[in-house]
Amino acid sequence: TINPPAGWFKTSSDNPITVTAYNSPNEDQEDAEPPLIVYYRPHLEVQVQENPVKTLEEAAAIFHQNNKSSYENYTVAQENKTTVNNIPAYYVDLTAVGKGIKIHGVCYLMVKEGFVINVCGNSLASAWDKNRGAITASINTFSFTNYPCGLLSIICTFNSLLF
């Protein structure tokens, strides 16, 4: 489970590994090449993917490889082992440029029962200072909930989307 920032609304995602996603009700904006203006909603999502990795470092290596191939420019400002709500995690503070838009975000990667769980939030890089507090506070509410079947609820939810 995760508690989104106050006022944020649940949204859908075309990404099949995204189990939940939220957008800010407010769009950030910045000037682009005149007369264009970039509008972007700060975003929070939880992704779950079956993966045989055993360590956080292995999960981080795959995460970096995927992002480097997905963005025009991908830069890691900081990364380290940490916890999210007492769950071992790998923290990545990053900036990425895609389609000319520069975003700043944080991601927490977790490895559990053959799955990699990725909890990320981002906004326009130019608006990161304004959005960082709400995004990180929300990420810090993330937790696993057990179903009677013994599986993690987020994994049960993920599997129910696939079948």
Side-chain angles (χ1 to χ4, degrees), residues 59-81:
I62 293 168
F63 175 81
H64 291 315
Q65 181 180 22
N66 290 342
N67 280 315
K68 285 178 183 175
S69 65
S70 298
Y71 292 100
E72 300 159 26
N73 187 343
Y74 171 75
T75 306
V76 175
Q78 182 181 358
E79 61 183 318
N80 57 280
K81 281 185 171 182

Side-chain angles (χ1 to χ4, degrees), residues 119-131:
V119 183
C120 285
N122 63 56
S123 76
L124 283 175
S126 61
W128 181 244
D129 289 343
K130 176 177 79 170
N131 295 300

Side-chain angles (χ1 to χ4, degrees), residues 4 6 37 47 65 109 111:
I37 298 173
Q47 298 177 333
Q65 181 180 22
L109 307 168
V111 176

Side-chain angles (χ1 to χ4, degrees), residues 6 8 10 19 39 50 52 54 56 59-60 64 67 83 93 100 108 124 129 133 141 159-160 162:
W8 286 37
K10 193 166 188 164
V19 295
Y39 294 94
E50 192 168 8
K54 302 285 186 217
L56 294 171
H64 291 315
N67 280 315
T83 60
D93 183 326
Y108 291 81
L124 283 175
D129 289 343
T141 70
N159 286 336
S160 71
L162 295 177

Side-chain angles (χ1 to χ4, degrees), residues 12-102:
S12 61
S13 173
D14 294 335
N15 190 333
I17 65 171
T18 298
V19 295
T20 193
Y22 297 92
N23 282 343
S24 169
N26 304 310
E27 288 183 317
D28 293 327
Q29 68 181 47
E30 68 180 28
D31 292 335
E33 186 176 317
L36 302 177
I37 298 173
V38 173
Y39 294 94
Y40 188 90
R41 287 190 190 277
H43 183 74
L44 176 71
E45 69 181 56
V46 177
Q47 298 177 333
V48 178
Q49 186 170 26
E50 192 168 8
N51 196 306
V53 302
K54 302 285 186 217
T55 69
L56 294 171
E57 291 83 3
E58 289 174 310
I62 293 168
F63 175 81
H64 291 315
Q65 181 180 22
N66 290 342
N67 280 315
K68 285 178 183 175
S69 65
S70 298
Y71 292 100
E72 300 159 26
N73 187 343
Y74 171 75
T75 306
V76 175
Q78 182 181 358
E79 61 183 318
N80 57 280
K81 281 185 171 182
T82 188
T83 60
V84 173
N85 203 10
N86 296 317
I87 303 166
Y90 196 91
Y91 168 80
V92 181
D93 183 326
L94 63 95
T95 57
V97 177
K99 299 180 183 175
I101 299 170
K102 186 176 184 180

